[in-house]
Coordinates of all heavy atoms in Angstrom, one line a residue:
M1 N -7.8 -12.1 5.4 CA -8.0 -10.9 4.6 C -7.4 -9.7 5.3 O -6.9 -8.8 4.7 CB -9.6 -10.8 4.5 CG -9.9 -9.6 3.6 SD -9.4 -10.0 1.9 CE -10.0 -8.6 1.1
T2 N -7.5 -9.6 6.7 CA -7.0 -8.5 7.4 C -5.5 -8.4 7.3 O -4.9 -7.4 7.1 CB -7.4 -8.6 8.9 OG1 -8.8 -8.8 9.0 CG2 -7.0 -7.4 9.7
D3 N -4.8 -9.6 7.3 CA -3.4 -9.6 7.1 C -3.0 -9.1 5.7 O -2.0 -8.4 5.6 CB -2.8 -11.0 7.3 CG -2.9 -11.4 8.8 OD1 -2.9 -10.5 9.7 OD2 -2.9 -12.7 9.1
L4 N -3.7 -9.5 4.7 CA -3.4 -9.0 3.4 C -3.6 -7.5 3.2 O -2.7 -6.8 2.7 CB -4.4 -9.7 2.3 CG -4.2 -9.3 0.9 CD1 -2.8 -9.7 0.4 CD2 -5.2 -9.9 0.0
V5 N -4.6 -6.9 3.8 CA -4.8 -5.5 3.8 C -3.7 -4.8 4.6 O -3.1 -3.8 4.1 CB -6.2 -5.1 4.3 CG1 -6.3 -3.6 4.5 CG2 -7.3 -5.6 3.4
G6 N -3.4 -5.4 5.7 CA -2.3 -4.8 6.5 C -0.9 -4.9 5.8 O -0.2 -3.9 5.8
L7 N -0.7 -5.9 5.1 CA 0.5 -6.1 4.3 C 0.6 -5.0 3.1 O 1.6 -4.4 2.9 CB 0.7 -7.5 3.7 CG 1.9 -7.7 2.8 CD1 3.2 -7.6 3.7 CD2 1.8 -9.1 2.2
L8 N -0.6 -4.8 2.5 CA -0.6 -3.8 1.4 C -0.4 -2.4 1.9 O 0.3 -1.6 1.3 CB -2.0 -3.9 0.7 CG -2.2 -5.2 -0.2 CD1 -3.6 -5.2 -0.7 CD2 -1.2 -5.2 -1.3
L9 N -0.9 -2.1 3.1 CA -0.7 -0.8 3.7 C 0.8 -0.7 4.1 O 1.3 0.4 3.9 CB -1.6 -0.7 5.0 CG -3.1 -0.3 4.7 CD1 -3.9 -0.5 5.9 CD2 -3.2 1.1 4.1
L10 N 1.4 -1.7 4.6 CA 2.8 -1.6 4.9 C 3.7 -1.4 3.7 O 4.6 -0.6 3.7 CB 3.3 -2.9 5.6 CG 2.7 -3.1 7.0 CD1 3.1 -4.5 7.6 CD2 3.2 -2.0 8.0
I11 N 3.4 -2.1 2.6 CA 4.1 -1.9 1.3 C 3.8 -0.5 0.8 O 4.8 0.2 0.3 CB 3.7 -2.9 0.3 CG1 4.2 -4.3 0.8 CG2 4.2 -2.6 -1.1 CD1 3.7 -5.5 0.0
G12 N 2.6 0.0 0.9 CA 2.3 1.4 0.4 C 3.0 2.4 1.2 O 3.5 3.4 0.7
G13 N 3.1 2.2 2.6 CA 3.8 3.1 3.4 C 5.3 3.2 3.1 O 5.8 4.3 3.1
A14 N 5.8 2.0 2.8 CA 7.3 2.0 2.5 C 7.5 2.8 1.1 O 8.4 3.5 0.9 CB 7.8 0.6 2.4
G15 N 6.5 2.6 0.2 CA 6.6 3.3 -1.1 C 6.5 4.8 -0.9 O 7.2 5.6 -1.6
F16 N 5.7 5.3 0.0 CA 5.7 6.8 0.3 C 7.0 7.2 0.9 O 7.4 8.3 0.5 CB 4.5 7.1 1.2 CG 3.2 7.2 0.5 CD1 2.2 6.3 0.8 CD2 2.9 8.2 -0.4 CE1 1.0 6.3 0.2 CE2 1.7 8.2 -1.1 CZ 0.7 7.3 -0.8
F17 N 7.6 6.5 1.7 CA 8.9 6.8 2.3 C 9.9 6.9 1.2 O 10.8 7.8 1.1 CB 9.4 5.9 3.3 CG 8.8 6.1 4.7 CD1 7.9 5.2 5.3 CD2 9.1 7.3 5.4 CE1 7.4 5.5 6.6 CE2 8.5 7.6 6.6 CZ 7.7 6.6 7.2
V18 N 9.9 6.0 0.2 CA 10.8 6.0 -0.9 C 10.6 7.3 -1.8 O 11.5 7.9 -2.2 CB 10.7 4.7 -1.7 CG1 11.5 4.8 -3.1 CG2 11.2 3.5 -0.9
C19 N 9.3 7.6 -2.0 CA 9.0 8.8 -2.8 C 9.5 10.0 -2.1 O 10.0 11.0 -2.8 CB 7.5 8.8 -3.1 SG 6.9 7.6 -4.2
G20 N 9.3 10.1 -0.8 CA 9.8 11.3 -0.1 C 11.3 11.4 -0.1 O 11.9 12.5 -0.3
T21 N 12.0 10.3 -0.1 CA 13.5 10.3 -0.2 C 13.9 10.8 -1.6 O 14.9 11.5 -1.7 CB 14.0 8.9 0.2 OG1 13.6 8.5 1.5 CG2 15.5 8.9 0.1
I22 N 13.2 10.3 -2.6 CA 13.6 10.7 -3.9 C 13.3 12.2 -4.1 O 14.1 12.9 -4.7 CB 12.7 9.9 -5.0 CG1 13.2 8.5 -5.0 CG2 12.8 10.5 -6.4 CD1 12.4 7.5 -5.8
G23 N 12.2 12.7 -3.5 CA 12.0 14.2 -3.5 C 13.0 14.9 -2.8 O 13.5 16.0 -3.3
L24 N 13.5 14.4 -1.7 CA 14.6 15.1 -1.0 C 15.9 15.2 -1.8 O 16.6 16.2 -1.8 CB 14.9 14.3 0.3 CG 16.1 14.8 1.1 CD1 15.9 16.2 1.7 CD2 16.5 13.8 2.2
L25 N 16.1 14.2 -2.6 CA 17.4 14.2 -3.4 C 17.2 14.9 -4.7 O 18.2 15.5 -5.2 CB 17.8 12.7 -3.7 CG 18.1 11.8 -2.5 CD1 18.3 10.4 -2.9 CD2 19.3 12.4 -1.8
R26 N 16.0 15.0 -5.3 CA 15.9 15.6 -6.6 C 15.3 17.0 -6.6 O 15.6 17.7 -7.6 CB 14.9 14.7 -7.4 CG 15.5 13.3 -7.5 CD 15.4 12.7 -8.9 NE 14.9 13.5 -9.9 CZ 15.5 13.6 -11.1 NH1 16.5 12.8 -11.4 NH2 14.9 14.3 -12.1
F27 N 14.6 17.5 -5.6 CA 14.0 18.8 -5.7 C 15.1 19.9 -5.5 O 16.1 19.7 -4.8 CB 12.9 19.0 -4.7 CG 11.6 18.2 -5.1 CD1 10.7 17.9 -4.1 CD2 11.4 17.9 -6.4 CE1 9.5 17.3 -4.5 CE2 10.2 17.3 -6.8 CZ 9.3 17.0 -5.8
P28 N 14.9 21.1 -6.1 CA 15.9 22.1 -6.2 C 16.2 22.9 -4.9 O 17.3 23.4 -4.8 CB 15.4 23.0 -7.3 CG 14.0 22.9 -7.3 CD 13.7 21.5 -6.9
D29 N 15.2 23.2 -4.1 CA 15.5 24.0 -3.0 C 14.9 23.5 -1.7 O 14.3 22.4 -1.6 CB 14.9 25.4 -3.2 CG 13.4 25.5 -3.2 OD1 12.8 24.4 -3.4 OD2 12.9 26.6 -3.0
V30 N 15.2 24.2 -0.6 CA 14.8 23.7 0.7 C 13.3 23.6 0.9 O 12.8 22.7 1.6 CB 15.5 24.6 1.8 CG1 15.0 26.0 1.9 CG2 15.4 23.9 3.2
Y31 N 12.6 24.5 0.3 CA 11.1 24.6 0.5 C 10.4 23.4 -0.2 O 9.6 22.8 0.4 CB 10.6 25.9 0.0 CG 11.3 27.1 0.6 CD1 12.2 27.8 -0.1 CD2 11.1 27.4 2.0 CE1 12.9 28.9 0.5 CE2 11.8 28.4 2.6 CZ 12.7 29.2 1.8 OH 13.3 30.2 2.4
T32 N 10.8 23.1 -1.4 CA 10.2 21.9 -2.1 C 10.6 20.6 -1.4 O 9.9 19.7 -1.4 CB 10.5 21.9 -3.6 OG1 12.0 22.0 -3.7 CG2 9.9 23.1 -4.3
R33 N 11.9 20.6 -0.9 CA 12.3 19.4 -0.2 C 11.6 19.2 1.1 O 11.2 18.0 1.4 CB 13.8 19.5 0.1 CG 14.7 19.4 -1.2 CD 16.1 19.6 -0.9 NE 16.9 19.6 -2.2 CZ 18.1 19.9 -2.3 NH1 18.8 20.3 -1.2 NH2 18.7 19.9 -3.4
L34 N 11.3 20.2 1.8 CA 10.5 20.1 3.0 C 9.1 19.6 2.7 O 8.6 18.8 3.5 CB 10.5 21.5 3.7 CG 11.7 21.9 4.5 CD1 11.5 23.3 5.0 CD2 11.9 21.0 5.7
H35 N 8.5 20.1 1.7 CA 7.2 19.7 1.3 C 7.2 18.2 1.0 O 6.3 17.5 1.4 CB 6.7 20.5 0.1 CG 5.4 20.2 -0.4 ND1 4.2 20.5 0.3 CD2 5.0 19.4 -1.5 CE1 3.2 20.1 -0.4 NE2 3.6 19.4 -1.4
A36 N 8.1 17.8 0.2 CA 8.2 16.4 -0.2 C 8.3 15.5 1.1 O 7.7 14.5 1.2 CB 9.3 16.1 -1.1
L37 N 9.2 15.9 2.0 CA 9.5 15.1 3.1 C 8.3 15.0 4.1 O 7.9 13.9 4.5 CB 10.7 15.5 3.9 CG 12.0 15.2 3.3 CD1 13.2 15.8 4.1 CD2 12.2 13.7 3.2
T38 N 7.7 16.2 4.4 CA 6.6 16.2 5.4 C 5.4 15.5 4.8 O 4.8 14.7 5.6 CB 6.3 17.6 5.8 OG1 6.0 18.4 4.7 CG2 7.4 18.2 6.6
K39 N 5.0 15.7 3.6 CA 3.8 15.1 3.1 C 4.0 13.6 2.9 O 3.1 12.8 3.4 CB 3.4 15.8 1.8 CG 3.1 17.2 1.8 CD 2.1 17.6 2.9 CE 1.9 19.1 2.9 NZ 1.5 19.5 4.2
A40 N 5.0 13.2 2.2 CA 5.2 11.8 1.9 C 5.5 11.0 3.2 O 5.0 9.9 3.4 CB 6.4 11.6 0.9
D41 N 6.3 11.5 4.1 CA 6.6 10.8 5.3 C 5.4 10.7 6.3 O 5.2 9.6 6.9 CB 7.8 11.4 6.1 CG 9.1 11.1 5.3 OD1 9.1 10.3 4.4 OD2 10.1 11.7 5.7
N42 N 4.6 11.7 6.4 CA 3.4 11.6 7.2 C 2.4 10.6 6.6 O 1.8 9.8 7.4 CB 2.7 13.0 7.4 CG 3.5 13.9 8.3 OD1 4.2 13.4 9.2 ND2 3.3 15.2 8.2
L43 N 2.2 10.6 5.3 CA 1.3 9.7 4.7 C 1.9 8.3 4.8 O 1.2 7.3 5.1 CB 1.0 10.1 3.3 CG -0.1 9.3 2.6 CD1 -1.4 9.4 3.3 CD2 -0.3 9.9 1.2
G44 N 3.2 8.1 4.6 CA 3.8 6.8 4.7 C 3.7 6.3 6.1 O 3.4 5.1 6.3
L45 N 4.0 7.1 7.1 CA 3.8 6.6 8.5 C 2.4 6.3 8.8 O 2.1 5.3 9.5 CB 4.4 7.7 9.4 CG 4.4 7.3 10.9 CD1 5.2 6.1 11.1 CD2 4.8 8.5 11.8
G46 N 1.5 7.0 8.3 CA 0.0 6.7 8.5 C -0.3 5.3 7.9 O -1.0 4.5 8.6
C47 N 0.2 5.0 6.7 CA -0.1 3.7 6.1 C 0.6 2.6 7.0 O 0.0 1.6 7.2 CB 0.4 3.7 4.7 SG -0.6 4.6 3.5
L48 N 1.8 2.9 7.4 CA 2.5 1.9 8.3 C 1.7 1.6 9.6 O 1.6 0.5 10.0 CB 3.9 2.3 8.6 CG 4.9 2.2 7.4 CD1 6.3 2.8 7.8 CD2 5.1 0.8 6.9
V49 N 1.3 2.7 10.2 CA 0.6 2.6 11.5 C -0.7 1.8 11.3 O -1.1 0.9 12.1 CB 0.3 4.0 12.1 CG1 -0.8 3.9 13.1 CG2 1.6 4.5 12.6
L50 N -1.5 2.1 10.2 CA -2.7 1.4 10.0 C -2.5 0.0 9.6 O -3.2 -0.9 10.1 CB -3.5 2.1 8.8 CG -4.1 3.5 9.1 CD1 -4.7 4.1 7.9 CD2 -5.1 3.4 10.3
G51 N -1.4 -0.3 8.8 CA -1.1 -1.7 8.5 C -0.7 -2.5 9.7 O -1.1 -3.6 9.9
L52 N 0.2 -1.9 10.6 CA 0.6 -2.6 11.8 C -0.6 -2.7 12.8 O -0.7 -3.7 13.5 CB 1.7 -1.8 12.5 CG 3.1 -1.9 11.8 CD1 4.1 -0.9 12.5 CD2 3.6 -3.3 11.8
G53 N -1.5 -1.7 12.8 CA -2.6 -1.9 13.7 C -3.5 -3.0 13.3 O -4.1 -3.7 14.1
L54 N -3.6 -3.3 12.0 CA -4.4 -4.4 11.5 C -3.7 -5.7 11.8 O -4.4 -6.7 12.1 CB -4.7 -4.3 10.0 CG -5.7 -3.2 9.6 CD1 -5.7 -3.1 8.1 CD2 -7.1 -3.5 10.1
V55 N -2.4 -5.7 11.6 CA -1.7 -7.0 11.8 C -1.6 -7.4 13.2 O -1.7 -8.6 13.5 CB -0.3 -6.9 11.1 CG1 0.6 -8.0 11.5 CG2 -0.4 -6.7 9.6
T56 N -1.4 -6.4 14.1 CA -1.3 -6.8 15.6 C -2.6 -7.4 16.1 O -2.5 -8.3 16.9 CB -0.9 -5.6 16.4 OG1 -1.9 -4.6 16.3 CG2 0.4 -5.1 16.0
G57 N -3.7 -6.9 15.7 CA -5.0 -7.4 16.2 C -5.4 -7.0 17.6 O -6.4 -7.3 18.1
S58 N -4.5 -6.1 18.2 CA -4.8 -5.6 19.6 C -5.3 -4.2 19.5 O -4.6 -3.4 18.8 CB -3.6 -5.8 20.4 OG -3.8 -5.0 21.6
W59 N -6.4 -3.9 20.0 CA -6.9 -2.5 20.0 C -6.0 -1.6 20.8 O -5.8 -0.4 20.4 CB -8.3 -2.4 20.6 CG -9.3 -3.0 19.6 CD1 -9.9 -4.2 19.7 CD2 -9.8 -2.4 18.4 NE1 -10.8 -4.4 18.7 CE2 -10.7 -3.2 17.9 CE3 -9.6 -1.1 17.8 CZ2 -11.4 -3.0 16.7 CZ3 -10.2 -0.9 16.6 CH2 -11.1 -1.8 16.1
L60 N -5.4 -2.0 21.9 CA -4.6 -1.2 22.7 C -3.3 -0.8 21.9 O -2.8 0.3 21.9 CB -4.2 -1.9 24.0 CG -3.4 -1.1 25.0 CD1 -4.1 0.2 25.4 CD2 -3.1 -1.9 26.2
D61 N -2.7 -1.8 21.3 CA -1.5 -1.6 20.4 C -1.8 -0.6 19.3 O -1.0 0.2 19.0 CB -0.9 -2.9 19.9 CG -0.3 -3.7 21.0 OD1 0.0 -3.2 22.1 OD2 -0.1 -4.9 20.8
A62 N -3.0 -0.8 18.7 CA -3.4 0.1 17.6 C -3.5 1.5 18.1 O -3.1 2.5 17.4 CB -4.7 -0.4 16.9
L63 N -4.1 1.7 19.2 CA -4.3 3.1 19.8 C -2.9 3.7 20.1 O -2.7 4.9 19.9 CB -5.2 3.0 21.0 CG -6.7 2.8 20.7 CD1 -7.4 2.6 22.0 CD2 -7.2 3.9 19.9
K64 N -2.0 2.9 20.6 CA -0.7 3.4 20.9 C 0.0 3.8 19.6 O 0.7 4.9 19.5 CB 0.2 2.3 21.6 CG -0.2 2.1 23.0 CD 0.6 1.0 23.6 CE 0.2 0.6 25.0 NZ 1.0 -0.5 25.5
L65 N -0.1 3.1 18.6 CA 0.5 3.4 17.3 C -0.2 4.7 16.7 O 0.5 5.5 16.2 CB 0.3 2.3 16.3 CG 1.2 1.0 16.5 CD1 0.7 -0.1 15.7 CD2 2.6 1.4 16.2
L66 N -1.5 4.8 16.9 CA -2.1 6.1 16.4 C -1.6 7.3 17.2 O -1.5 8.4 16.6 CB -3.6 5.9 16.5 CG -4.3 5.0 15.5 CD1 -5.8 4.9 15.8 CD2 -4.1 5.6 14.1
L67 N -1.4 7.1 18.5 CA -0.9 8.2 19.3 C 0.5 8.6 18.8 O 0.9 9.8 18.7 CB -0.8 7.8 20.8 CG -0.3 8.8 21.7 CD1 -1.2 10.1 21.7 CD2 -0.2 8.3 23.1
V68 N 1.4 7.6 18.5 CA 2.7 7.9 18.0 C 2.6 8.6 16.7 O 3.3 9.6 16.4 CB 3.5 6.6 17.8 CG1 4.8 6.8 17.0 CG2 3.8 6.0 19.2
W69 N 1.7 8.2 15.8 CA 1.5 8.9 14.5 C 1.1 10.4 14.7 O 1.6 11.3 14.1 CB 0.5 8.2 13.7 CG 0.3 8.7 12.3 CD1 1.2 9.3 11.5 CD2 -0.9 8.7 11.6 NE1 0.6 9.7 10.3 CE2 -0.7 9.3 10.3 CE3 -2.2 8.2 11.8 CZ2 -1.7 9.4 9.3 CZ3 -3.2 8.3 10.8 CH2 -2.9 8.9 9.6
A70 N 0.1 10.6 15.7 CA -0.3 12.0 15.9 C 0.8 12.8 16.4 O 1.0 14.0 16.0 CB -1.5 11.9 16.9
V71 N 1.6 12.3 17.4 CA 2.7 13.1 17.9 C 3.7 13.4 16.8 O 4.3 14.5 16.7 CB 3.3 12.4 19.1 CG1 4.6 13.0 19.6 CG2 2.3 12.3 20.3
T72 N 4.0 12.4 16.0 CA 4.9 12.6 14.9 C 4.5 13.6 13.9 O 5.3 14.5 13.4 CB 5.2 11.3 14.2 OG1 5.6 10.3 15.1 CG2 6.2 11.4 13.1
M73 N 3.2 13.7 13.6 CA 2.6 14.7 12.7 C 2.8 16.1 13.2 O 3.1 17.0 12.5 CB 1.2 14.4 12.3 CG 1.0 13.2 11.4 SD -0.7 12.8 11.0 CE -1.2 14.3 10.3
I74 N 2.5 16.2 14.5 CA 2.7 17.5 15.2 C 4.2 18.0 15.1 O 4.5 19.1 14.8 CB 2.1 17.5 16.6 CG1 0.6 17.3 16.6 CG2 2.5 18.8 17.4 CD1 0.0 17.0 17.9
G75 N 5.0 17.0 15.5 CA 6.5 17.4 15.5 C 7.0 17.7 14.1 O 7.8 18.5 13.9
S76 N 6.5 16.9 13.1 CA 6.9 17.1 11.7 C 6.5 18.5 11.2 O 7.2 19.2 10.6 CB 6.3 16.1 10.8 OG 6.6 16.3 9.5
A77 N 5.2 18.9 11.5 CA 4.7 20.2 11.1 C 5.5 21.3 11.8 O 5.9 22.3 11.1 CB 3.3 20.3 11.4
A78 N 5.8 21.2 13.0 CA 6.5 22.2 13.8 C 8.0 22.3 13.3 O 8.4 23.5 13.0 CB 6.5 21.9 15.3
S79 N 8.6 21.2 13.1 CA 10.0 21.3 12.6 C 10.1 21.8 11.2 O 11.0 22.6 10.8 CB 10.7 19.9 12.7 OG 10.1 19.0 11.8
C80 N 9.1 21.5 10.3 CA 9.1 22.0 9.0 C 8.9 23.5 9.0 O 9.6 24.2 8.2 CB 8.0 21.3 8.2 SG 7.8 21.9 6.5
H81 N 8.0 24.0 9.8 CA 7.8 25.4 9.9 C 9.1 26.1 10.4 O 9.4 27.2 9.9 CB 6.6 25.7 10.8 CG 6.3 27.1 11.0 ND1 5.6 27.8 10.0 CD2 6.4 28.0 12.0 CE1 5.4 29.0 10.4 NE2 5.9 29.2 11.6
L82 N 9.7 25.6 11.4 CA 10.9 26.2 11.9 C 12.1 26.3 10.9 O 12.8 27.2 10.8 CB 11.4 25.5 13.2 CG 10.5 25.7 14.4 CD1 10.9 24.8 15.6 CD2 10.5 27.2 14.8
I83 N 12.2 25.2 10.2 CA 13.3 25.1 9.1 C 13.0 26.1 8.0 O 13.9 26.9 7.6 CB 13.4 23.7 8.6 CG1 14.0 22.8 9.6 CG2 14.3 23.7 7.3 CD1 14.0 21.3 9.3
A84 N 11.7 26.2 7.6 CA 11.4 27.2 6.6 C 11.6 28.6 7.1 O 12.0 29.5 6.3 CB 9.9 27.0 6.1
Q85 N 11.2 28.9 8.3 CA 11.4 30.2 8.9 C 12.9 30.6 8.9 O 13.3 31.7 8.6 CB 10.9 30.3 10.3 CG 9.4 30.7 10.3 CD 9.0 31.0 11.7 OE1 9.5 30.5 12.7 NE2 7.9 31.8 11.9
A86 N 13.7 29.6 9.3 CA 15.2 29.9 9.4 C 15.8 30.1 8.0 O 16.7 30.9 7.8 CB 15.9 28.7 10.1
A87 N 15.3 29.4 7.0 CA 15.7 29.6 5.6 C 15.4 30.9 5.1 O 16.2 31.6 4.5 CB 15.2 28.5 4.7
L88 N 14.1 31.4 5.4 CA 13.7 32.7 5.0 C 14.6 33.8 5.7 O 15.0 34.8 5.1 CB 12.2 32.9 5.3 CG 11.3 32.4 4.3 CD1 9.8 32.5 4.8 CD2 11.4 33.1 2.9
A89 N 14.8 33.6 7.0 CA 15.6 34.6 7.7 C 17.0 34.6 7.2 O 17.7 35.7 7.3 CB 15.6 34.2 9.2
A90 N 17.5 33.5 6.7 CA 18.9 33.5 6.2 C 19.0 34.0 4.7 O 20.1 34.1 4.2 CB 19.4 32.0 6.2
G91 N 17.8 34.3 4.2 CA 17.8 34.9 2.8 C 17.7 33.9 1.7 O 18.0 34.2 0.6
V92 N 17.4 32.7 2.0 CA 17.2 31.6 1.0 C 15.9 31.9 0.2 O 14.8 31.9 0.8 CB 17.2 30.2 1.6 CG1 16.9 29.2 0.5 CG2 18.5 29.9 2.3
R93 N 16.0 32.2 -1.0 CA 14.8 32.5 -1.8 C 14.2 31.2 -2.4 O 14.9 30.3 -2.8 CB 15.2 33.5 -2.9 CG 16.0 34.6 -2.4 CD 15.8 36.0 -2.8 NE 14.8 36.5 -3.6 CZ 13.8 37.2 -3.2 NH1 13.6 37.3 -1.9 NH2 12.9 37.7 -4.0
P94 N 12.9 31.2 -2.5 CA 12.2 30.0 -3.1 C 12.6 29.9 -4.6 O 12.8 30.9 -5.3 CB 10.7 30.3 -3.0 CG 10.6 31.3 -1.8 CD 11.9 32.1 -1.9
W95 N 12.7 28.7 -5.0 CA 13.1 28.4 -6.4 C 12.0 28.8 -7.4 O 10.8 28.6 -7.1 CB 13.4 26.9 -6.5 CG 13.7 26.4 -7.9 CD1 14.8 26.6 -8.6 CD2 12.8 25.7 -8.8 NE1 14.8 26.0 -9.8 CE2 13.5 25.5 -10.0 CE3 11.5 25.3 -8.7 CZ2 13.0 24.8 -11.1 CZ3 10.9 24.6 -9.8 CH2 11.7 24.4 -10.9
T96 N 12.4 29.4 -8.5 CA 11.4 29.7 -9.5 C 12.0 29.2 -10.8 O 13.3 29.2 -11.0 CB 11.2 31.2 -9.7 OG1 12.5 31.9 -9.9 CG2 10.6 31.8 -8.4
D97 N 11.2 28.8 -11.7 CA 11.6 28.2 -13.0 C 11.7 29.3 -14.1 O 11.0 29.2 -15.1 CB 10.7 27.1 -13.4 CG 11.2 26.3 -14.5 OD1 12.5 26.3 -14.8 OD2 10.4 25.6 -15.2
Q98 N 12.5 30.3 -13.8 CA 12.6 31.4 -14.8 C 14.1 31.8 -15.0 O 14.9 31.7 -14.2 CB 11.8 32.6 -14.3 CG 10.4 32.3 -14.2 CD 9.6 33.5 -13.7 OE1 10.1 34.6 -13.4 NE2 8.3 33.3 -13.6

């Protein structure tokens, strides 16, 4: 049962990565693309980490994976903020549907 749940989490995580990639390709400006990538990739990586943690069966490996996920979330938030600040400083205006 644990392997099945782990497999479902791995498939779900891969699905979030695909959705983030589609958002990167389809959204109109840098701000919406950043939003799609950071949200979908963080959630996708979380599902992958939880799925791998269940499949490995080792508490130590699961804790290492959770640490990698935490560091990645911090780095993702910081890089997203820096890219958005640089875009604003360069004069890139947010997209409006008008």
Side-chain angles (χ1 to χ4, degrees):
M1 185 68 177
T2 306
D3 288 337
L4 179 63
V5 172
L7 180 64
L8 290 175
L9 283 168
L10 290 173
I11 292 170
F16 280 113
F17 278 117
V18 169
C19 289
T21 303
I22 291 171
L24 173 68
L25 297 174
R26 299 225 3 137
F27 285 158
D29 70 339
V30 67
Y31 306 108
T32 54
R33 290 176 183 169
L34 282 172
H35 179 75
L37 282 178
T38 54
K39 301 303 177 207
D41 287 352
N42 283 336
L43 191 55
L45 183 60
C47 288
L48 288 176
V49 163
L50 292 175
L52 287 173
L54 288 174
V55 171
T56 61
S58 169
W59 287 103
L60 184 60
D61 290 340
L63 287 175
K64 288 178 187 178
L65 287 168
L66 286 174
L67 180 64
V68 167
W69 183 32
V71 170
T72 303
M73 285 180 59
I74 292 168
S76 175
S79 64
C80 178
H81 182 73
L82 290 173
I83 292 170
Q85 272 188 335
L88 277 174
V92 177
R93 311 222 7 104
W95 176 75
T96 59
D97 191 18
Q98 295 177 3

